[in-house]
Amino acid sequence: MFNQFLSVRTISLLPRISTVKYNLLSKNWITPTTIVKTNYFKTTNRSINTMSETQGKPIQCIAAVAYAAAQPLSVETIIVDPPKAHEVRIKITNTAICHTDAYTLSGSDPEGAFPCVLGHEGAGIVESVGPDVETVKVGDHVIALYTAECGKCKFCKSGKTNLCGAVRATQGKGVMPDGTSRFHNLKGESLLHFMGCSTFSEYTVVADVSVVAVDPIAPLDKVCLLGCGVTTGYGAAIKTANVQKGDTVAVFGAGTVGLSVVQGAKARGASKIIVIDVNSDKKQWSHDFGATDFVNPLKDLKEGETIVSKLVNMTDGGLDFTFDCTGNVKVMRDALEACHKGWGESIIIGVAASGQEISTRPFQLVTGRVWKGSAFGGIKGRSEMAGLIKDYQGGKLKVDEFVTHTRPFKEINEGFEDLHHGDCLRTVLDF
Ligand SMILES: NC(=O)C1=CN([C@@H]2O[C@H](COP(=O)(O)OP(=O)(O)OC[C@H]3O[C@@H](n4cnc5c(N)ncnc54)[C@H](OP(=O)(O)O)[C@@H]3O)[C@@H](O)[C@H]2O)C=CC1
Ligand SMILES: N[C@@H](CCC(=O)N[C@@H](CSC=O)C(=O)NCC(=O)O)C(=O)O
Ligand SMILES: [Zn+2]
Ligand SMILES: [Zn+2]
């Protein structure tokens, strides 16, 4: 099996590599030449193309397979085929569990199909690449991206969105761009991919447009969270909403996504950041991440008061920006209606179950309130991840603080249980 660490023997065969270091944080061997360039669309230093012993061969490894909706995951050995052209096989070192994994596993996702390998908040090391891959190389530390960035499609070139059309259609069907899967169980049954990532497997295969190399010094057991929750919330505040100094902000739902919106709003100098959550245990966290106020609508409303009227009164007529980070369509309506007449914008981030729809009086929009959505915080994964890693390394973006639980990968089902407890922001699994 591929050794996740570049072996000394392998490295000694590469005369151009003079210094080999052991990264104590990520527990991996690194070399100076693995340090990534800021232009992620082309690897400029191709001097290392380390061959792994497993290159071109199927790998047997541990994975968590979702065989059916609302059933525990089956932790078992699966077979991961080698990457084809424009594909990358990654040794996942760490993956977190996002609320969206639980949503799809529950059966509420119209795109959910089984059996599949879930997981989309993961990081690891490139084990091998298929033909024509020019953007990452063996040994690179990487984050999987559920929002691809090809740089060439109509979406990527528009300058208006981070959504990319290159692989989204096949991604939604749970297959690689050529329409087939790289995962099989030991019975020979094909297993579907998920969100173009499938990080609940020790090895996964992703499209080359769905992966970004990161500074190898960044700890993979923390920056895996940049694969979804932290990036989504922070980006929604600083990119989608583009919160400005002095703006007033309300954030519904104080999970990892909501608290990351809070830290984005704080970074921008928002004058008021109100968190609304049904669990008062989230109050301390909210303040720690930068909230100025916390409201529990189940406890803090007076007779005749609604959450909307309370928020409007707290902010002299309504908020400049509100964010739904719950996935609850009633909350989405409240978030819109708490916006200031004339200009308030409400950003929907939460994912609602199949069949759910939003509604409001059109007059709310006629009078200037704006409803928007945000996927992956509007962040372009390949060209903008380096900036987020720098924000994290410079202490501007909190990431470690979200890791409330860690578990060995085999405890993944217990990790899903953690999500239901108010004391959990993220459980990070370790392979
Ligand atoms: N658009 C995108 O790109 C992305 C969307 N998502 C979605 O964003 C949402 C948030 O994700 P995440 O932070 O991981 O989830 P969490 O479950 O950790 O956070 C949601 C929070 O909202 C609280 N909540 C639930 N109902 C209400 C309510 N009626 N009013 C106020 N608060 C409420 C929950 O409390 P309690 O725990 O007590 O229920 C919890 O604290 C999910 O729907 C997820 O699927 C996630 C990532 C990316
Ligand atoms: N498959 C669902 C929609 C799920 C969804 O909205 N996903 C979010 C990311 S959630 C991450 O944790 C997203 O960014 N969607 C954009 C996309 O292109 O998928 C459905 O069909 O309703
Ligand atoms: Zn997610
Ligand atoms: Zn594209």
Side-chain angles (χ1 to χ4, degrees):
M1 187 170 294
F2 171 70
N3 181 354
Q4 73 178 88
F5 306 112
L6 289 176
S7 72
V8 174
R9 179 181 61 78
T10 305
I11 286 166
S12 68
L13 292 173
L14 295 167
R16 297 177 77 167
I17 300 171
S18 51
T19 322
V20 181
K21 293 181 188 161
Y22 188 71
N23 180 347
L24 290 171
L25 289 174
S26 60
K27 304 187 194 85
N28 284 296
W29 290 103
I30 58 164
T31 72
T33 42
T34 61
I35 291 169
V36 292
K37 302 285 179 283
T38 48
N39 175 7
Y40 291 97
F41 287 96
K42 192 91 179 167
T43 302
T44 49
N45 184 341
R46 304 282 296 157
S47 61
I48 314 182
N49 192 7
T50 316
M51 298 283 285
S52 65
E53 288 165 15
T54 45
Q55 182 156 8
K57 300 175 192 161
I59 291 178
Q60 282 201 14
C61 67
I62 188 169
V65 181
Y67 277 102
Q71 295 299 312
L73 302 176
S74 167
V75 178
E76 62 184 52
T77 299
I78 66 160
I79 298 161
V80 182
D81 287 343
K84 295 188 181 176
H86 286 292
E87 295 178 3
V88 178
R89 189 161 60 184
I90 306 168
K91 159 94 178 81
I92 298 289
T93 58
N94 298 96
T95 180
I97 306 169
C98 170
H99 191 93
T100 305
D101 297 307
Y103 154 84
T104 301
L105 182 58
S106 75
S108 299
D109 181 353
E111 286 186 312
F114 304 92
C116 73
V117 178
L118 295 167
H120 63 282
E121 206 172 80
I125 301 167
V126 174
E127 173 270 340
S128 63
V129 298
D132 306 323
V133 172
E134 297 187 324
T135 51
V136 294
K137 57 190 181 305
V138 174
D140 276 354
H141 288 206
V142 293
I143 294 175
L145 299 171
Y146 67 83
T147 304
E149 185 185 358
C150 75
K152 294 176 189 159
C153 73
K154 183 178 182 183
F155 292 89
C156 284
K157 288 201 294 193
S158 72
K160 297 176 182 175
T161 178
N162 66 328
L163 300 178
C164 167
V167 296
R168 183 62 183 82
T170 46
Q171 175 173 317
K173 294 189 172 76
V175 288
M176 295 302 290
D178 74 346
T180 64
S181 168
R182 303 290 161 270
F183 298 124
H184 312 272
N185 64 15
L186 292 182
K187 290 185 202 159
E189 294 162 341
S190 184
L191 307 170
L192 292 167
H193 294 244
F194 176 65
M195 287 176 78
C197 295
S198 290
T199 57
F200 292 166
S201 174
E202 192 183 1
Y203 287 84
T204 190
V205 178
V206 302
D208 58 359
V209 292
S210 305
V211 60
V212 61
V214 297
D215 183 345
I217 301 302
L220 295 172
D221 59 348
K222 305 293 189 305
V223 298
C224 59
L225 300 191
L226 292 175
C228 185
V230 174
T231 301
T232 296
Y234 189 63
I238 67 166
K239 278 208 79 177
T240 309
N242 195 13
V243 172
Q244 300 294 310
K245 191 172 169 54
D247 285 341
T248 56
V249 171
V251 181
F252 291 77
T256 296
V257 174
L259 295 172
S260 296
V261 172
V262 169
Q263 54 173 337
K266 186 184 178 194
R268 283 296 175 85
S271 59
K272 215 174 202 8
I273 306 172
I274 308 170
V275 171
I276 302 98
D277 198 289
V278 288
N279 179 353
S280 296
D281 293 346
K282 301 286 173 79
K283 182 173 180 173
Q284 188 57 51
W285 267 327
S286 301
H287 288 300
D288 293 346
F289 283 96
T292 57
D293 301 84
F294 181 90
V295 180
N296 181 339
L298 302 180
K299 291 187 176 167
D300 299 335
L301 301 182
K302 292 188 209 130
E303 187 76 23
E305 204 174 28
T306 63
I307 186 64
V308 172
S309 66
K310 184 173 179 74
L311 292 173
V312 168
N313 286 334
M314 284 172 80
T315 53
D316 187 25
L319 292 123
D320 296 314
F321 293 102
T322 66
F323 297 83
D324 168 70
C325 309
T326 70
N328 179 320
V329 293
K330 290 198 176 67
V331 172
M332 292 175 191
R333 178 176 191 154
D334 287 343
L336 177 83
E337 297 182 359
C339 284
H340 202 288
K341 182 177 176 177
W343 63 77
E345 293 189 14
S346 189
I347 320 298
I348 294 179
I349 306 175
V351 173
S354 179
Q356 298 280 299
E357 292 183 351
I358 49 171
S359 63
T360 189
R361 286 187 66 216
F363 187 64
Q364 294 286 336
L365 306 183
V366 168
T367 49
R369 294 169 194 85
V370 176
W371 231 338
K372 274 189 179 178
S374 182
F376 198 42
I379 298 290
K380 286 175 176 268
R382 286 171 63 212
S383 52
E384 295 180 327
M385 186 60 76
L388 295 182
I389 297 269
K390 283 207 173 74
D391 284 355
Y392 163 59
Q393 291 172 327
K396 208 172 139 192
L397 175 62
K398 292 185 203 297
V399 177
D400 298 9
E401 290 78 355
F402 290 99
V403 184
T404 52
H405 295 60
T406 56
R407 290 181 179 276
F409 180 71
K410 63 178 195 262
E411 291 180 12
I412 187 166
N413 284 304
E414 289 84 345
F416 272 78
E417 288 300 313
D418 295 340
L419 290 180
H420 302 302
H421 304 145
D423 64 346
C424 176
L425 290 175
R426 278 296 190 259
T427 295
V428 172
L429 305 170
D430 195 333
F431 282 94

